[in-house]
Structure formats: C-alpha cells, structure tokens
Amino acid sequence: MKKYIFASLLFIGIGFTSLQAQVTGKWKTVDDETGEAKSIVEVYEKDGKIYGKVVEILNPAKKDAKCKDCKGADKDKPILGLVIIKGLTKDGDEYTDGDILDPNKGKLYSCTIKLDGKDKLSVRGYMGISLLGRSQTWSRVK
C-alpha cells in the first residue's frame, strides 16, 4: 500500500511540474515605443542558464539587417539568428543576472524576465539599477 501511495504522489508531482508555465519557447516581441510586432525570439536553456535568439524578423524590409552598432563578437552579425538574451539565472519567480542586446541600437543592458501568466513574458532591460530602464511584454507564439 505504501508503494502505491508513494508512486501516486510521485506521478502527481511530475504531472504538476510539467503543467507549470515555462519561460522557454517562442515569443513575439513588440517595440515598446511604437507597439509594432518586431520579431520572434526563441528562449531556451543551456547549461542551466536562459538565452534567447532571434528566429524570425517580422518586417520584410528588415529581414537582412545586421547589428551594425554592436560591439565585440556581435558586430555586423545578421540580427536573424543573433543571441540577444544572454546568461540569465533563475531567482525565485524571475530570471536575472544576465544581459539583453538591443540590436537596433547595439546596446547591451542588464536584463530581468518574468512570466506574467503562462502566455506573457515581462522583459526589462536596464542600466545600473532596474528603475532606469524600459520594459516590454512579449506574447507566447503557439
């Protein structure tokens, strides 16, 4: 009987974990200044950290754009395929201590992301302290 109860609890626990919302997946980005949908970013986990890369550019005129103003290894790389979220770690119900790249401006910001329900992702980029930044809400692509 104890084995049956233990197995049932284990099964329920695994089922509950798989039902919890994840930050990983594909997200539609929206320009916080214009409200225009810009791209699809795939958020994924690698070596226990969270990353995000541009997998689709929604404006046909910008499909071949490059990161002209970026620094270092990202300079002049195509924006399509570019990793823009780098090295976030889980901290409670949010992911912090990483960076986000704005490929249009070539600037790297500190970043925090957090689920807002299962299909909305709050993304905040900032310099120095979180109060000095801007936020976007991305929508999950199904």
Side-chain angles (χ1 to χ4, degrees):
M1 182 70 169
K2 287 182 183 179
K3 287 181 184 180
Y4 176 74
I5 292 172
F6 178 74
S8 296
L9 290 174
L10 182 62
F11 179 73
I12 291 169
I14 290 170
F16 178 72
T17 301
S18 67
L19 292 175
Q20 290 178 323
Q22 301 282 328
V23 296
T24 56
K26 292 185 179 178
W27 299 90
K28 183 187 296 182
T29 70
V30 177
D31 188 311
D32 56 304
E33 295 168 351
T34 67
E36 173 187 345
K38 293 175 25 174
S39 65
I40 305 295
V41 172
E42 183 174 8
V43 176
Y44 60 95
E45 184 177 345
K46 178 181 175 188
D47 299 327
K49 296 194 180 230
I50 296 295
Y51 297 85
K53 72 176 174 179
V54 178
V55 294
E56 186 177 345
I57 296 174
L58 301 175
N59 182 340
K62 296 184 178 181
K63 289 213 183 264
D64 296 323
K66 296 193 188 276
C67 198
K68 298 180 294 188
D69 296 323
C70 290
K71 309 274 189 279
D74 292 332
K75 181 156 183 62
D76 295 324
K77 278 191 176 177
I79 293 174
L80 185 62
L82 192 64
V83 176
I84 62 167
I85 295 176
K86 302 176 183 191
L88 297 175
T89 55
K90 188 163 179 56
D91 182 13
D93 62 347
E94 62 185 19
Y95 293 81
T96 62
D97 296 328
D99 298 309
I100 189 165
L101 174 67
D102 179 344
N104 295 320
K105 296 178 181 175
K107 298 209 177 205
L108 194 63
Y109 301 95
S110 296
C111 180
T112 299
I113 64 174
K114 180 179 180 179
L115 281 173
D116 182 13
K118 67 177 186 158
D119 292 329
K120 298 285 183 196
L121 186 67
S122 176
V123 180
R124 182 150 185 84
Y126 59 94
M127 297 184 82
I129 60 172
S130 184
L131 292 174
L132 303 175
R134 63 184 219 232
S135 295
Q136 296 180 346
T137 299
W138 297 358
S139 301
R140 189 179 298 276
V141 176
K142 297 183 181 196

